[in-house]
Amino acid sequence: MTTQDVLVLGGGTAGFLAALALKKELPPHIGVRVLHSSKIGTIGVGEGSLRQLPEFLHSYLGIDARRFFAEVQPTWKLGIRFRWGAGADFDYSFTPQVCVTHPHPDLSRPLGFYCFDNLREHSVTSVLMDNEHAFLRAPDGSPLMEGNYGYHMDNRKLAAFLERYALEQGIELLDDEVREVSADADGVRTLALASGQSVRADLFVDCSGFRSLLLGDTLGEPFVSYRSSLFCDRAVIGGWQRTQEPVRPYTVSETMDCGWCWQIEHEDRINRGYVYASDFISDEDAEAEFRAKNPHITDTAMVRFRSGRYRRAWVKNVVAIGNSAGFVEPLEATAIAAICSAAKMLAQTLAQAGDCAVRDSNRDIFNRYNERSWDTIADFLAVHYRFNTRMDNAFWRSCVNEVDLRGAQPIVDYYRDNGPCNHWQLILEDPLCRFRLDGYYTLLLGQGVAHAQLDTPSARERDAFAQLQKATVQYAARGVGVTEALGAVRGEHWQWRPQHFGVNPGI
Ligand SMILES: Cc1cc2nc3c(=O)[nH]c(=O)nc-3n(C[C@H](O)[C@H](O)[C@H](O)COP(=O)(O)OP(=O)(O)OC[C@H]3O[C@@H](n4cnc5c(N)ncnc54)[C@H](O)[C@@H]3O)c2cc1C
């Protein structure tokens, strides 16, 4: 099948990011259109990202960061602070923390061996987070905007910006509603619209959100549930206008009675959401718990979801991206990163397949990719539930006793015997897993999961590690908060620079 005409169904984050990637990669004679319904609107949630989003927007699509900051008004996210597990709070940051070795002669093993009791003070990012600083300060006093960060942003502002930008790139936009879909043995043929018009295309990219109108509804692709690992299926969402609270450069995720709650920081607003399991708590009780812990909350809204993915994302002439392909609860805020990589993979697959021909092998490999992309996220999330011992109630006892660790089991088994050792990283780590071995070990150490090597660091090693912590705290003490950094971005001379990985830079 050759592709001359691509129709993206859906104008949420997934629809526009997919359309922009296709427009960038495909030859100009191939039409890219977006069909969406402003009456139906977008999901309106999806506010935290991983570091893949800034890379995708600015490095890959070439969107000017200064304009993005002016129109979408994001803030920076260095990672997640977990109020989780029985022990102290800990950070999962986008910069490797525990699987790294340090060039100190007395610290021969990865840092994770030395920080069972305190995961925060040896990592620059974590010290920045402790001090509520987004960046280190350069010698001239300005923010040193380097390192690994994602964005916090308002989902509706992001979708509205992407719509404007897509129009500027020559993407055609249709605002109408699909009423009926006709399909045959080769896939989807036509979409009949509310206006009476009907549209055809060679390839349909289904970004219709949880409806999964083409892949799930029309082609009947089976859904693979993650319910044996992830019990939550609803969220109650609310927020309030910021007053004196500092703008934190991280998301907070904290344990609740029957799930967990996020706190996401916008410049003018604080947004919270309680993700809960409806088998264990009623909607009314969840809302009451949410309001009791967040007395400033004004209006609330409830979203239902199911965690899982479609067996295949690309079937015949339909490829699903975004919530229409798969979904896991936003405990690590992964959906937008999954959208970015699927959009890029699809666009590049078509672009390199001469005449944009689609072969079975292209579909198969994309489907394998999509499967692993979602499954590796579900595996990682399972670890958050299985080892969280902060609460003793029916929900958390079920998590501790019943959560299926899925693909995470071999990593957990290895860690229990060998500690946070990266010797077998190549075997233990799936290259498609966004969290790497470092993320797994951070979550295991942070939740206080014991391993057999706990007592092995020598007195000399402990001493050297204490020196490293002291030096890190001193090094990162002069930082710049989000509000000051936003001022710098709005200044005349600011320029975005691609991020780079850094571990304890300068120490
Ligand atoms: C509670 C919750 C919290 C989340 N938090 C995060 C987070 O912090 N970070 C993160 O990365 N992700 C998060 N997500 C996921 C995030 O919302 C999505 O990944 C992202 O917004 C993409 O959504 P989408 O574009 O797939 O779907 P949607 O935004 O729902 O867009 C669907 C589009 O399809 C169109 N459409 C549907 N039916 C029709 C029709 N019949 N005719 C025409 N058009 C139609 C709609 O108009 C809309 O334009 C969260 C999700 C939930 C439920």
Side-chain angles (χ1 to χ4, degrees):
M1 176 194 116
T2 58
T3 309
Q4 293 298 322
D5 186 17
V6 183
L7 184 100
V8 178
L9 172 60
T13 308
F16 283 116
L17 289 178
L20 286 163
L22 289 161
K23 191 72 189 168
K24 173 186 160 78
E25 299 283 354
L26 299 187
H29 67 273
I30 299 199
V32 178
R33 289 175 291 166
V34 172
L35 166 63
H36 74 129
S37 161
S38 52
K39 275 200 195 131
I40 295 177
T42 62
I43 189 166
V45 281
E47 320 247 328
S49 87
L50 302 183
R51 62 186 196 91
Q52 280 84 359
L53 181 69
E55 279 169 13
F56 186 86
L57 294 172
H58 310 310
S59 294
Y60 176 65
L61 292 180
I63 293 175
D64 176 46
R66 180 187 290 277
R67 175 175 171 194
F68 188 78
F69 269 89
E71 296 184 31
V72 182
Q73 295 161 332
T75 63
W76 297 274
K77 170 181 172 185
L78 303 183
I80 302 172
R81 169 144 303 168
F82 280 101
R83 306 217 158 111
W84 207 259
D89 298 355
F90 66 95
D91 298 330
Y92 167 77
S93 80
F94 300 147
T95 305
Q97 287 166 276
V98 294
C99 236
V100 288
T101 41
H102 189 266
H104 188 293
D106 290 336
L107 294 176
S108 57
R109 292 191 284 181
L111 294 182
F113 277 97
Y114 310 112
C115 58
F116 190 76
D117 298 327
N118 177 0
L119 252 177
R120 306 238 296 252
E121 290 179 346
H122 69 279
S123 139
V124 169
T125 308
S126 196
V127 176
L128 286 172
M129 285 163 73
D130 266 347
N131 295 337
E132 305 202 331
H133 289 153
F135 300 106
L136 291 170
R137 194 177 288 280
D140 68 359
S142 65
L144 201 57
M145 292 191 183
E146 294 180 340
N148 300 307
Y149 53 79
Y151 288 147
H152 284 144
M153 75 241 128
D154 180 320
N155 176 276
R156 291 206 168 85
K157 281 186 190 158
L158 175 66
F161 168 81
L162 293 173
E163 178 173 337
R164 286 193 294 280
Y165 190 77
L167 282 169
E168 289 166 22
Q169 303 310 303
I171 292 170
E172 198 187 321
L173 200 60
L174 296 164
D175 186 354
D176 212 326
E177 192 176 323
V178 178
R179 287 286 164 83
E180 219 175 289
V181 182
S182 71
D184 61 20
D186 294 324
V188 168
R189 286 290 127 235
T190 46
L191 308 182
L193 308 181
S195 63
Q197 214 190 333
S198 70
V199 285
R200 298 176 75 91
D202 300 320
L203 184 73
F204 292 89
V205 184
D206 184 352
C207 298
S208 61
F210 288 143
R211 291 171 187 81
S212 196
L213 211 58
L214 306 182
L215 181 76
D217 257 25
T218 306
L219 300 184
E221 185 62 11
F223 189 77
V224 179
S225 170
Y226 296 141
R227 206 166 163 73
S228 63
S229 302
L230 303 173
F231 302 162
C232 291
D233 57 358
R234 292 186 194 176
V236 53
I237 296 158
W240 62 90
Q241 287 305 112
R242 181 183 295 287
T243 51
Q244 299 303 313
E245 305 93 335
V247 190
R248 292 171 171 153
Y250 54 88
T251 299
V252 172
S253 291
E254 68 185 296
T255 308
M256 299 279 277
D257 285 355
C258 296
W260 61 278
C261 191
W262 77 68
Q263 175 158 329
I264 283 181
E265 308 279 333
H266 303 299
E267 197 176 358
D268 56 353
R269 193 178 154 80
I270 291 174
N271 185 9
R272 301 219 73 181
Y274 177 9
V275 175
Y276 59 94
S278 64
D279 280 353
F280 291 85
I281 190 169
S282 68
D283 296 339
E284 296 70 34
D285 288 350
E287 166 130 10
E289 186 192 352
F290 185 52
R291 283 190 179 276
K293 289 188 178 152
N294 299 284
H296 300 309
I297 278 177
T298 51
D299 296 345
T300 59
M302 202 259 275
V303 186
R304 291 164 196 256
F305 58 82
R306 57 179 181 169
S307 286
R309 60 165 169 84
Y310 284 91
R311 190 179 60 186
R312 294 169 300 173
W314 192 341
V315 179
K316 299 176 180 173
N317 66 344
V318 172
V319 192
I321 293 181
N323 291 349
S324 58
F327 181 77
V328 295
E329 60 187 77
L331 186 46
E332 288 282 346
T334 39
I336 297 174
I339 291 169
C340 292
S341 46
K344 193 169 167 182
M345 289 292 185
L346 172 65
Q348 292 182 340
T349 299
L350 290 172
Q352 59 86 40
D355 227 11
C356 297
V358 178
R359 296 178 182 82
D360 285 346
S361 56
N362 297 134
R363 273 187 282 257
D364 290 348
I365 201 132
F366 184 89
N367 286 332
R368 277 170 54 199
Y369 159 78
N370 188 70
E371 190 179 314
R372 276 168 55 202
S373 170
W374 286 109
D375 288 0
T376 51
I377 301 173
D379 296 347
F380 186 56
L381 297 197
V383 169
H384 298 55
Y385 282 105
R386 179 69 173 268
F387 298 106
N388 186 345
T389 51
R390 178 167 277 194
M391 300 269 185
D392 184 16
N393 63 20
F395 171 75
W396 285 106
R397 274 195 298 276
S398 296
C399 291
V400 169
N401 295 325
E402 292 165 30
V403 159
D404 174 9
L405 279 178
R406 306 168 37 90
Q409 188 72 58
I411 297 180
V412 171
D413 293 345
Y414 182 81
Y415 164 91
R416 283 205 190 269
D417 285 344
N418 302 284
C421 172
N422 56 11
H423 186 59
W424 284 104
Q425 189 155 4
L426 224 92
I427 302 294
L428 290 170
E429 197 173 82
D430 185 322
L432 281 189
C433 173
R434 294 176 172 82
F435 315 99
R436 318 283 313 266
L437 204 51
D438 196 277
Y440 270 101
Y441 288 165
T442 301
L443 259 296
L444 291 166
L445 289 164
Q447 291 176 98
V449 180
H451 59 75
Q453 309 297 324
L454 271 178
D455 293 333
T456 53
S458 64
R460 211 181 159 102
E461 284 178 312
R462 289 181 203 278
D463 198 41
F465 187 68
Q467 282 171 32
L468 169 69
Q469 288 174 308
K470 204 170 154 202
T472 308
V473 170
Q474 266 171 12
Y475 177 80
R478 278 189 79 234
V480 180
V482 173
T483 306
E484 186 184 342
L486 285 172
V489 163
R490 289 170 188 145
E492 217 182 309
H493 302 294
W494 183 75
Q495 271 188 335
W496 186 77
R497 281 193 292 158
Q499 305 159 61
H500 70 256
F501 259 116
V503 182
N504 290 349
I507 293 183

